[in-house]
PDB file of all heavy atoms in Angstrom:
ATOM      1  N   CYS A   1      -4.305  -7.810 -13.692  1.00 92.00           N
ATOM      2  CA  CYS A   1      -3.231  -7.257 -12.863  1.00 92.00           C
ATOM      3  C   CYS A   1      -3.832  -6.207 -11.943  1.00 92.00           C
ATOM      4  O   CYS A   1      -4.949  -5.743 -12.166  1.00 92.00           O
ATOM      5  CB  CYS A   1      -2.113  -6.669 -13.718  1.00 92.00           C
ATOM      6  SG  CYS A   1      -2.518  -5.145 -14.578  1.00 92.00           S
ATOM      7  N   ALA A   2      -3.101  -5.848 -10.909  1.00 92.00           N
ATOM      8  CA  ALA A   2      -3.544  -4.798 -10.002  1.00 92.00           C
ATOM      9  C   ALA A   2      -3.212  -3.438 -10.592  1.00 92.00           C
ATOM     10  O   ALA A   2      -4.016  -2.516 -10.524  1.00 92.00           O
ATOM     11  CB  ALA A   2      -2.882  -4.967  -8.640  1.00 92.00           C
ATOM     12  N   TRP A   3      -1.995  -3.314 -11.153  1.00 95.00           N
ATOM     13  CA  TRP A   3      -1.555  -2.099 -11.816  1.00 95.00           C
ATOM     14  C   TRP A   3      -0.330  -2.409 -12.651  1.00 95.00           C
ATOM     15  O   TRP A   3       0.259  -3.481 -12.535  1.00 95.00           O
ATOM     16  CB  TRP A   3      -1.300  -0.947 -10.847  1.00 95.00           C
ATOM     17  CG  TRP A   3      -0.670  -1.283  -9.522  1.00 95.00           C
ATOM     18  CD1 TRP A   3      -1.315  -1.795  -8.423  1.00 95.00           C
ATOM     19  CD2 TRP A   3       0.700  -1.134  -9.134  1.00 95.00           C
ATOM     20  NE1 TRP A   3      -0.427  -1.967  -7.391  1.00 95.00           N
ATOM     21  CE2 TRP A   3       0.821  -1.562  -7.799  1.00 95.00           C
ATOM     22  CE3 TRP A   3       1.838  -0.666  -9.761  1.00 95.00           C
ATOM     23  CZ2 TRP A   3       2.020  -1.552  -7.092  1.00 95.00           C
ATOM     24  CZ3 TRP A   3       3.038  -0.652  -9.063  1.00 95.00           C
ATOM     25  CH2 TRP A   3       3.117  -1.088  -7.749  1.00 95.00           C
ATOM     26  N   ALA A   4       0.024  -1.473 -13.524  1.00 97.00           N
ATOM     27  CA  ALA A   4       1.184  -1.616 -14.406  1.00 97.00           C
ATOM     28  C   ALA A   4       1.998  -0.331 -14.334  1.00 97.00           C
ATOM     29  O   ALA A   4       1.451   0.739 -14.067  1.00 97.00           O
ATOM     30  CB  ALA A   4       0.738  -1.881 -15.841  1.00 97.00           C
ATOM     31  N   VAL A   5       3.300  -0.448 -14.569  1.00 97.00           N
ATOM     32  CA  VAL A   5       4.203   0.693 -14.445  1.00 97.00           C
ATOM     33  C   VAL A   5       4.823   1.008 -15.804  1.00 97.00           C
ATOM     34  O   VAL A   5       5.528   0.185 -16.382  1.00 97.00           O
ATOM     35  CB  VAL A   5       5.325   0.414 -13.425  1.00 97.00           C
ATOM     36  CG1 VAL A   5       6.211   1.643 -13.248  1.00 97.00           C
ATOM     37  CG2 VAL A   5       4.743  -0.042 -12.093  1.00 97.00           C
ATOM     38  N   ALA A   6       4.555   2.210 -16.297  1.00 97.00           N
ATOM     39  CA  ALA A   6       5.063   2.614 -17.609  1.00 97.00           C
ATOM     40  C   ALA A   6       6.584   2.715 -17.625  1.00 97.00           C
ATOM     41  O   ALA A   6       7.234   2.242 -18.561  1.00 97.00           O
ATOM     42  CB  ALA A   6       4.440   3.960 -18.015  1.00 97.00           C
ATOM     43  N   SER A   7       7.182   3.312 -16.599  1.00 97.00           N
ATOM     44  CA  SER A   7       8.629   3.575 -16.614  1.00 97.00           C
ATOM     45  C   SER A   7       9.477   2.315 -16.572  1.00 97.00           C
ATOM     46  O   SER A   7      10.630   2.335 -16.995  1.00 97.00           O
ATOM     47  CB  SER A   7       9.017   4.495 -15.455  1.00 97.00           C
ATOM     48  OG  SER A   7       8.775   3.859 -14.219  1.00 97.00           O
ATOM     49  N   THR A   8       8.907   1.207 -16.070  1.00 95.00           N
ATOM     50  CA  THR A   8       9.676  -0.047 -15.983  1.00 95.00           C
ATOM     51  C   THR A   8       9.129  -1.141 -16.891  1.00 95.00           C
ATOM     52  O   THR A   8       9.761  -2.190 -17.018  1.00 95.00           O
ATOM     53  CB  THR A   8       9.690  -0.579 -14.536  1.00 95.00           C
ATOM     54  OG1 THR A   8       8.345  -0.867 -14.130  1.00 95.00           O
ATOM     55  CG2 THR A   8      10.339   0.404 -13.588  1.00 95.00           C
ATOM     56  N   GLY A   9       7.952  -0.939 -17.482  1.00 96.00           N
ATOM     57  CA  GLY A   9       7.347  -1.981 -18.301  1.00 96.00           C
ATOM     58  C   GLY A   9       6.981  -3.203 -17.478  1.00 96.00           C
ATOM     59  O   GLY A   9       7.138  -4.333 -17.916  1.00 96.00           O
ATOM     60  N   SER A  10       6.479  -2.967 -16.269  1.00 96.00           N
ATOM     61  CA  SER A  10       6.163  -4.054 -15.341  1.00 96.00           C
ATOM     62  C   SER A  10       4.669  -4.096 -15.043  1.00 96.00           C
ATOM     63  O   SER A  10       3.981  -3.084 -15.143  1.00 96.00           O
ATOM     64  CB  SER A  10       6.903  -3.845 -14.008  1.00 96.00           C
ATOM     65  OG  SER A  10       8.279  -3.712 -14.206  1.00 96.00           O
ATOM     66  N   VAL A  11       4.203  -5.279 -14.641  1.00 96.00           N
ATOM     67  CA  VAL A  11       2.843  -5.420 -14.135  1.00 96.00           C
ATOM     68  C   VAL A  11       2.924  -5.976 -12.719  1.00 96.00           C
ATOM     69  O   VAL A  11       3.866  -6.697 -12.376  1.00 96.00           O
ATOM     70  CB  VAL A  11       1.958  -6.328 -15.025  1.00 96.00           C
ATOM     71  CG1 VAL A  11       1.722  -5.699 -16.375  1.00 96.00           C
ATOM     72  CG2 VAL A  11       2.533  -7.715 -15.166  1.00 96.00           C
ATOM     73  N   VAL A  12       1.934  -5.630 -11.902  1.00 95.00           N
ATOM     74  CA  VAL A  12       1.902  -6.080 -10.514  1.00 95.00           C
ATOM     75  C   VAL A  12       0.619  -6.869 -10.299  1.00 95.00           C
ATOM     76  O   VAL A  12      -0.466  -6.416 -10.656  1.00 95.00           O
ATOM     77  CB  VAL A  12       1.978  -4.883  -9.543  1.00 95.00           C
ATOM     78  CG1 VAL A  12       1.844  -5.342  -8.095  1.00 95.00           C
ATOM     79  CG2 VAL A  12       3.276  -4.114  -9.757  1.00 95.00           C
ATOM     80  N   LEU A  13       0.773  -8.054  -9.726  1.00 92.00           N
ATOM     81  CA  LEU A  13      -0.358  -8.904  -9.386  1.00 92.00           C
ATOM     82  C   LEU A  13      -0.397  -9.073  -7.881  1.00 92.00           C
ATOM     83  O   LEU A  13       0.652  -9.120  -7.224  1.00 92.00           O
ATOM     84  CB  LEU A  13      -0.202 -10.289 -10.025  1.00 92.00           C
ATOM     85  CG  LEU A  13      -0.524 -10.446 -11.503  1.00 92.00           C
ATOM     86  CD1 LEU A  13       0.446  -9.708 -12.375  1.00 92.00           C
ATOM     87  CD2 LEU A  13      -0.528 -11.911 -11.870  1.00 92.00           C
ATOM     88  N   TYR A  14      -1.606  -9.171  -7.315  1.00 90.00           N
ATOM     89  CA  TYR A  14      -1.783  -9.464  -5.898  1.00 90.00           C
ATOM     90  C   TYR A  14      -2.235 -10.903  -5.767  1.00 90.00           C
ATOM     91  O   TYR A  14      -2.915 -11.438  -6.647  1.00 90.00           O
ATOM     92  CB  TYR A  14      -2.853  -8.572  -5.267  1.00 90.00           C
ATOM     93  CG  TYR A  14      -2.575  -7.089  -5.282  1.00 90.00           C
ATOM     94  CD1 TYR A  14      -3.621  -6.184  -5.301  1.00 90.00           C
ATOM     95  CD2 TYR A  14      -1.279  -6.576  -5.246  1.00 90.00           C
ATOM     96  CE1 TYR A  14      -3.397  -4.816  -5.286  1.00 90.00           C
ATOM     97  CE2 TYR A  14      -1.034  -5.213  -5.237  1.00 90.00           C
ATOM     98  CZ  TYR A  14      -2.095  -4.344  -5.268  1.00 90.00           C
ATOM     99  OH  TYR A  14      -1.867  -2.988  -5.257  1.00 90.00           O
ATOM    100  N   HIS A  15      -1.909 -11.497  -4.650  1.00 81.00           N
ATOM    101  CA  HIS A  15      -2.397 -12.836  -4.335  1.00 81.00           C
ATOM    102  C   HIS A  15      -3.909 -12.774  -4.219  1.00 81.00           C
ATOM    103  O   HIS A  15      -4.460 -11.857  -3.612  1.00 81.00           O
ATOM    104  CB  HIS A  15      -1.801 -13.295  -3.010  1.00 81.00           C
ATOM    105  CG  HIS A  15      -2.249 -14.655  -2.593  1.00 81.00           C
ATOM    106  ND1 HIS A  15      -3.443 -14.877  -1.967  1.00 81.00           N
ATOM    107  CD2 HIS A  15      -1.666 -15.853  -2.740  1.00 81.00           C
ATOM    108  CE1 HIS A  15      -3.578 -16.174  -1.721  1.00 81.00           C
ATOM    109  NE2 HIS A  15      -2.513 -16.782  -2.189  1.00 81.00           N
ATOM    110  N   SER A  16      -4.603 -13.725  -4.837  1.00 63.00           N
ATOM    111  CA  SER A  16      -6.060 -13.723  -4.724  1.00 63.00           C
ATOM    112  C   SER A  16      -6.587 -15.147  -4.698  1.00 63.00           C
ATOM    113  O   SER A  16      -6.225 -15.967  -5.519  1.00 63.00           O
ATOM    114  CB  SER A  16      -6.696 -12.960  -5.897  1.00 63.00           C
ATOM    115  OG  SER A  16      -6.351 -13.566  -7.110  1.00 63.00           O
ATOM    116  N   GLY A  17      -7.412 -15.423  -3.728  1.00 60.00           N
ATOM    117  CA  GLY A  17      -8.080 -16.708  -3.650  1.00 60.00           C
ATOM    118  C   GLY A  17      -7.150 -17.862  -3.319  1.00 60.00           C
ATOM    119  O   GLY A  17      -5.948 -17.698  -3.127  1.00 60.00           O
ATOM    120  N   PRO A  18      -7.707 -19.060  -3.268  1.00 55.00           N
ATOM    121  CA  PRO A  18      -6.928 -20.228  -2.872  1.00 55.00           C
ATOM    122  C   PRO A  18      -5.855 -20.622  -3.899  1.00 55.00           C
ATOM    123  O   PRO A  18      -4.886 -21.275  -3.552  1.00 55.00           O
ATOM    124  CB  PRO A  18      -7.975 -21.336  -2.719  1.00 55.00           C
ATOM    125  CG  PRO A  18      -9.135 -20.885  -3.534  1.00 55.00           C
ATOM    126  CD  PRO A  18      -9.102 -19.379  -3.510  1.00 55.00           C
ATOM    127  N   GLN A  19      -6.007 -20.236  -5.160  1.00 54.00           N
ATOM    128  CA  GLN A  19      -5.032 -20.601  -6.181  1.00 54.00           C
ATOM    129  C   GLN A  19      -3.843 -19.644  -6.193  1.00 54.00           C
ATOM    130  O   GLN A  19      -2.837 -19.904  -6.828  1.00 54.00           O
ATOM    131  CB  GLN A  19      -5.672 -20.635  -7.575  1.00 54.00           C
ATOM    132  CG  GLN A  19      -6.637 -21.777  -7.760  1.00 54.00           C
ATOM    133  CD  GLN A  19      -7.987 -21.491  -7.134  1.00 54.00           C
ATOM    134  OE1 GLN A  19      -8.424 -20.365  -7.048  1.00 54.00           O
ATOM    135  NE2 GLN A  19      -8.642 -22.535  -6.661  1.00 54.00           N
ATOM    136  N   GLY A  20      -3.969 -18.502  -5.550  1.00 69.00           N
ATOM    137  CA  GLY A  20      -2.871 -17.551  -5.492  1.00 69.00           C
ATOM    138  C   GLY A  20      -2.448 -17.064  -6.858  1.00 69.00           C
ATOM    139  O   GLY A  20      -3.268 -16.665  -7.668  1.00 69.00           O
ATOM    140  N   LEU A  21      -1.167 -17.099  -7.107  1.00 83.00           N
ATOM    141  CA  LEU A  21      -0.590 -16.581  -8.344  1.00 83.00           C
ATOM    142  C   LEU A  21      -0.233 -17.690  -9.328  1.00 83.00           C
ATOM    143  O   LEU A  21       0.520 -17.464 -10.273  1.00 83.00           O
ATOM    144  CB  LEU A  21       0.640 -15.735  -8.005  1.00 83.00           C
ATOM    145  CG  LEU A  21       0.357 -14.522  -7.111  1.00 83.00           C
ATOM    146  CD1 LEU A  21       1.646 -13.926  -6.583  1.00 83.00           C
ATOM    147  CD2 LEU A  21      -0.444 -13.489  -7.863  1.00 83.00           C
ATOM    148  N   LEU A  22      -0.756 -18.888  -9.130  1.00 82.00           N
ATOM    149  CA  LEU A  22      -0.383 -20.046  -9.955  1.00 82.00           C
ATOM    150  C   LEU A  22      -0.485 -19.821 -11.460  1.00 82.00           C
ATOM    151  O   LEU A  22       0.431 -20.204 -12.190  1.00 82.00           O
ATOM    152  CB  LEU A  22      -1.204 -21.280  -9.563  1.00 82.00           C
ATOM    153  CG  LEU A  22      -0.928 -21.862  -8.185  1.00 82.00           C
ATOM    154  CD1 LEU A  22      -1.844 -23.053  -7.927  1.00 82.00           C
ATOM    155  CD2 LEU A  22       0.514 -22.251  -8.037  1.00 82.00           C
ATOM    156  N   PRO A  23      -1.562 -19.206 -11.980  1.00 83.00           N
ATOM    157  CA  PRO A  23      -1.639 -19.041 -13.437  1.00 83.00           C
ATOM    158  C   PRO A  23      -0.564 -18.134 -14.023  1.00 83.00           C
ATOM    159  O   PRO A  23      -0.302 -18.165 -15.216  1.00 83.00           O
ATOM    160  CB  PRO A  23      -3.024 -18.439 -13.668  1.00 83.00           C
ATOM    161  CG  PRO A  23      -3.802 -18.790 -12.453  1.00 83.00           C
ATOM    162  CD  PRO A  23      -2.802 -18.797 -11.333  1.00 83.00           C
ATOM    163  N   SER A  24       0.079 -17.333 -13.177  1.00 86.00           N
ATOM    164  CA  SER A  24       1.136 -16.450 -13.670  1.00 86.00           C
ATOM    165  C   SER A  24       2.528 -17.032 -13.449  1.00 86.00           C
ATOM    166  O   SER A  24       3.512 -16.466 -13.923  1.00 86.00           O
ATOM    167  CB  SER A  24       1.055 -15.084 -12.979  1.00 86.00           C
ATOM    168  OG  SER A  24       1.394 -15.197 -11.609  1.00 86.00           O
TER     169      SER A  24
END
C-alpha cells in the first residue's frame, strides 16, 4: 500500500504498472 489511515482503518493504493490495481 502507499499509506494507511488509523482513524478510518483504511489503506490507500496507487495505480502502478500495466496491471494497475487488478490484484486488489
